[in-house]
Amino acid sequence: MSLTTEFSFTLPRGYLGSDGTVHRRGVMRLATARDEIEPLRDPRVQGADDPYLTIIVLSRVVTELGSLSAVTPREIENLFAADLAFLQDLYGVVNFGSTSDVRAFLKEANEAEKATAARSRAQSADDDDTDEDDDEYEDDDDLDDSTDDDYEDDDDDEEIIITGRRRGGAVIEEVNQDS
């Protein structure tokens, strides 16, 4: 049995670099005690509850992000909110979850990403079908009037989104170091 110490991920939005490049793929390693202690000595951090502590810790454990040569607090500061939330969730799962928690998160996140990609491809195909249907939605009766009342068990739907996609909703994968 080997210990997986690095996890590759794909951010839901991606870090927008100064040159306009969007960096979505990255790698996060397991945190060490030093990764959590050293940032407390940083003058920008006012205490253990300071939100900036998260920025510094993440900049220490995210070892790769797209083609960036290094990931610093500056890059983490400039992530979109969904990406920061995703990295926080990923950090929690890989560092404090059991192996089965990590595997379940990986499986559900991958399945959710595949479903999102399929919906995106279907939407793109629908957008390409711009023929005589331009007036398709002129009549309000043609619109779907469904509401949340149409769903019998909203809690299950919400739970799937939270556990499968976490707050950030991106894909992570184990990095196999045995190969």
Side-chain angles (χ1 to χ4, degrees):
M1 176 180 208
S2 66
L3 176 65
T4 302
T5 60
E6 291 187 320
F7 301 86
S8 64
F9 60 83
T10 302
L11 295 172
R13 302 255 192 280
Y15 169 74
L16 184 59
S18 59
D19 63 352
T21 302
V22 177
H23 306 273
R24 292 188 66 212
R25 291 195 159 294
V27 174
M28 179 184 287
R29 65 172 173 77
L30 288 175
T32 64
R34 172 165 270 155
D35 291 323
E36 295 197 351
I37 294 169
E38 285 293 322
L40 291 170
R41 297 182 181 142
D42 190 297
R44 296 171 290 188
V45 175
Q46 302 302 311
D49 294 331
D50 189 332
Y52 200 74
L53 180 61
T54 298
I55 302 296
I56 297 175
V57 170
L58 288 175
S59 72
R60 292 175 65 100
V61 298
V62 174
T63 58
E64 296 176 25
L65 188 55
S67 61
L68 299 176
S69 59
V71 179
T72 68
R74 183 79 176 151
E75 284 77 33
I76 303 297
E77 287 172 358
N78 288 306
L79 288 172
F80 294 109
D83 295 330
L84 179 62
F86 169 75
L87 288 177
Q88 289 173 307
D89 287 344
L90 175 59
Y91 182 90
V93 171
V94 301
N95 286 291
F96 303 110
S98 67
T99 302
S100 61
D101 291 337
V102 173
R103 291 194 190 283
F105 180 82
L106 293 170
K107 180 181 177 193
E108 292 173 14
N110 285 326
E111 288 171 1
E113 181 65 20
K114 286 177 187 175
T116 299
R119 282 191 303 273
S120 178
R121 284 191 301 273
Q123 180 64 38
S124 292
D126 288 346
D127 290 346
D128 291 342
D129 280 345
T130 55
D131 47 27
E132 299 167 15
D133 295 336
D134 289 342
D135 61 344
E136 178 180 357
Y137 295 108
E138 280 186 24
D139 187 4
D140 286 333
D141 293 336
D142 290 339
L143 297 176
D144 181 15
D145 292 330
S146 65
T147 64
D148 288 342
D149 297 336
D150 295 337
Y151 298 97
E152 291 179 17
D153 196 356
D154 286 337
D155 291 339
D156 286 343
D157 292 339
E158 189 172 326
E159 182 177 328
I160 290 171
I161 293 168
I162 292 170
T163 58
R165 305 219 19 139
R166 299 294 186 194
R167 289 180 294 170
V171 176
I172 60 172
E173 305 163 339
E174 288 182 82
V175 175
N176 188 351
Q177 294 181 337
D178 296 334
S179 327

